[in-house]
Amino acid sequence: MAALTHDVPRQQVTDAIGLLMHNLVNIKDETGEFLLHLEDGRIIDTKGWAGWEWTHGVGLFGMWRYYEQTGDQKALSIIKQWFEDRFAEGTPTKNINTVAPFITLAYLYEHEPDPRYIPYLDTWAEWLMADDGLPKTEEGGFQHIVYNDENPGEMWDDTLMMSVLPLAKIGLLLGRPHYIEEAKRQFLVHIKYLFDKKTGLWFHGWDFNGRHNFAEALWARGNCWVTIAIPEIIEILDLQPGDAFRTFLIDTLAAQVKTLSQTQDESGLWHTLVMDPSSYLEASATAGFAYGILKAVRKGYLPREYEAVGIKAVRGVLANIDDKGELQQVSFGTAMGDTLQFYKDIRLTSMPYGQSLAVCALAEFLRTYI
């Protein structure tokens, strides 16, 4: 079946990407209300560009995906300068989320080999693997340890995007197949405990201590990390048709996207609790869904019929980018909630991952013009 046609001007898309990137690197927390204050006195800026968190890792990833498709030198320059500045300052505490930038560093090394990058890639991947490095849950899951909470015994759906994809990519780059096998294992154990068999969606987290999924929240942005991560791991590992792991992942993705296609709002967006229309519409998750769905269709992982869902989501994203390049309707970083109301109460504010997920979605959408 031929790809769907649409009437979105290409220039509108490229202009939007330029605005999004400009806004991404200039976002500031003017009031301090979104700073993360740690018990040891450290202050983590998750909003501004001059920090080191998962927010920045996703930002780098989005710009890399745009650069590799278009050769945009501004995007490449931003990426390289971020690493130069951060390495000059010194690396932060290792946790699940601070690993996120290293998938982009691995791609950057492939593109422009720089011997300075290898010790960082090696050290951080080894920390993920080591018994005395990243804490593990029962069954060897990556414990979702972050700056302000060790979350013992907990697995979150964010982990696949933030740490597992980097581990797989570094494993290929450094020729360490045991990294790749560990990445596969993490996908399997996360699916085992976070996949909701009733809907095909994913719960935000699992707690081995209480043996529960917390509020059983089918949270949109948590789900979008999965929609992204599954096509990415299949592509990174170049899994071929007939590979059992690939088949299992595609079946898992298809179950999720089937429900997403049934719950998409007329605006093209999804609610922050996917199955709860009383929760607000959220644009960063929508951008993530758009990217993952469009890429999965293009790569042949999902049926062509879902392309219409992705294009509708792109239209929703474009409609929520203001004239300053800020993606509207983006929820702030969201910890694990014990109630569904917790997710409904998360504030809306501009964030680097909102900008970047929109860049990811629009860069993938550009392929419809080819």
Side-chain angles (χ1 to χ4, degrees):
M1 184 184 298
L4 290 180
T5 58
H6 57 79
D7 59 358
V8 181
R10 189 179 192 280
Q11 191 65 47
Q12 179 186 357
V13 179
T14 55
D15 287 350
I17 291 173
L19 285 171
L20 287 163
M21 289 198 304
H22 177 77
N23 189 287
L24 168 63
V25 299
N26 288 286
I27 293 174
K28 292 183 175 61
D29 185 351
E30 303 289 358
T31 65
E33 65 179 310
F34 297 106
L35 296 176
L36 182 62
H37 295 265
L38 305 183
E39 291 182 359
D40 61 9
R42 286 179 296 161
I43 300 176
I44 308 300
D45 183 1
T46 64
K47 191 179 178 77
W49 186 239
W52 188 313
E53 248 286 40
W54 67 272
T55 51
H56 309 93
V58 176
L60 294 163
F61 177 80
M63 283 186 286
W64 177 261
R65 281 291 182 246
Y66 179 57
Y67 167 72
E68 69 178 359
Q69 182 179 326
T70 64
D72 185 273
Q73 291 301 304
K74 180 180 179 181
L76 180 63
S77 176
I78 292 171
I79 292 167
K80 293 172 69 173
Q81 192 61 53
W82 188 90
F83 282 110
E84 291 291 338
D85 292 343
R86 301 293 81 74
F87 289 161
E89 296 169 357
T91 55
T93 303
K94 294 180 179 68
N95 63 49
I96 283 290
N97 288 336
T98 53
V99 177
F102 287 99
I103 188 170
T104 302
L105 188 67
Y107 279 113
L108 182 59
Y109 180 85
E110 278 187 327
H111 178 68
E112 297 182 8
D114 186 328
R116 296 177 302 160
Y117 297 162
I118 294 298
Y120 290 97
L121 295 167
D122 172 69
T123 300
W124 283 68
E126 278 298 298
W127 175 79
L128 286 172
M129 296 289 294
D131 291 338
D132 60 352
L134 171 67
K136 309 300 191 296
T137 69
E138 290 180 34
E139 301 185 29
F142 281 3
Q143 181 175 309
H144 197 85
I145 182 172
V146 294
Y147 272 121
N148 57 342
D149 202 333
E150 293 190 2
N151 297 316
E154 296 182 19
M155 294 194 307
W156 297 17
D157 52 11
D158 317 42
T159 298
L160 298 178
M161 180 75 187
M162 307 311 164
S163 284
V164 179
L165 289 182
L167 181 64
K169 183 62 183 176
I170 295 169
L172 282 176
L173 184 69
L174 301 183
R176 297 178 183 172
H178 59 296
Y179 288 6
I180 295 168
E181 292 307 310
E182 184 60 39
K184 291 179 179 179
R185 176 191 184 189
Q186 291 304 319
F187 267 83
L188 293 173
V189 73
H190 279 74
I191 291 170
K192 180 177 180 180
Y193 287 100
L194 298 180
F195 180 78
D196 175 29
K197 292 183 285 294
K198 293 181 180 179
T199 65
L201 300 174
W202 285 49
F203 298 119
H204 189 183
W206 167 261
D207 182 10
F208 277 103
N209 298 308
R211 316 294 297 190
H212 59 73
N213 290 110
F214 297 93
E216 299 190 355
L218 301 172
W219 174 51
R221 193 164 59 242
N223 269 269
C224 95
W225 301 130
V226 175
T227 317
I228 295 171
I230 289 179
E232 290 297 324
I233 194 68
I234 295 172
E235 181 179 68
I236 287 170
L237 300 183
D238 194 25
L239 301 176
Q240 296 300 304
D243 179 277
F245 182 58
R246 169 190 159 119
T247 301
F248 183 74
L249 290 176
I250 289 175
D251 288 346
T252 303
L253 178 64
Q256 183 202 46
V257 173
K258 179 181 179 181
T259 295
L260 290 176
S261 71
Q262 297 166 350
T263 52
Q264 187 176 27
D265 184 73
E266 282 305 306
S267 65
L269 275 60
W270 279 269
H271 295 273
T272 199
L273 292 174
V274 176
M275 304 296 290
D276 184 354
S278 71
S279 64
Y280 59 74
L281 295 169
E282 210 281 334
S284 72
T286 298
F289 290 142
Y291 173 77
I293 291 170
L294 289 175
K295 180 166 186 171
V297 170
R298 174 172 61 83
K299 299 286 289 187
Y301 308 150
L302 290 177
R304 179 66 68 181
E305 66 192 74
Y306 288 123
E307 188 174 46
V309 178
I311 291 174
K312 184 176 179 180
V314 166
R315 292 181 184 277
V317 169
L318 285 169
N320 277 279
I321 300 171
D322 69 13
D323 57 4
K324 296 179 181 178
E326 177 184 320
L327 183 65
Q328 306 291 305
Q329 288 297 121
V330 173
S331 63
F332 186 59
T334 305
M336 189 59 61
D338 290 322
T339 67
L340 296 179
Q341 188 62 41
F342 170 84
Y343 294 87
K344 297 182 181 182
D345 293 340
I346 296 293
R347 293 277 302 279
L348 294 169
T349 182
S350 61
M351 290 298 291
Y353 51 80
Q355 308 303 111
S356 180
L357 286 169
V359 172
C360 279
L362 296 184
E364 180 63 35
F365 184 67
L366 283 177
R367 292 178 180 268
T368 63
Y369 299 96
I370 297 174

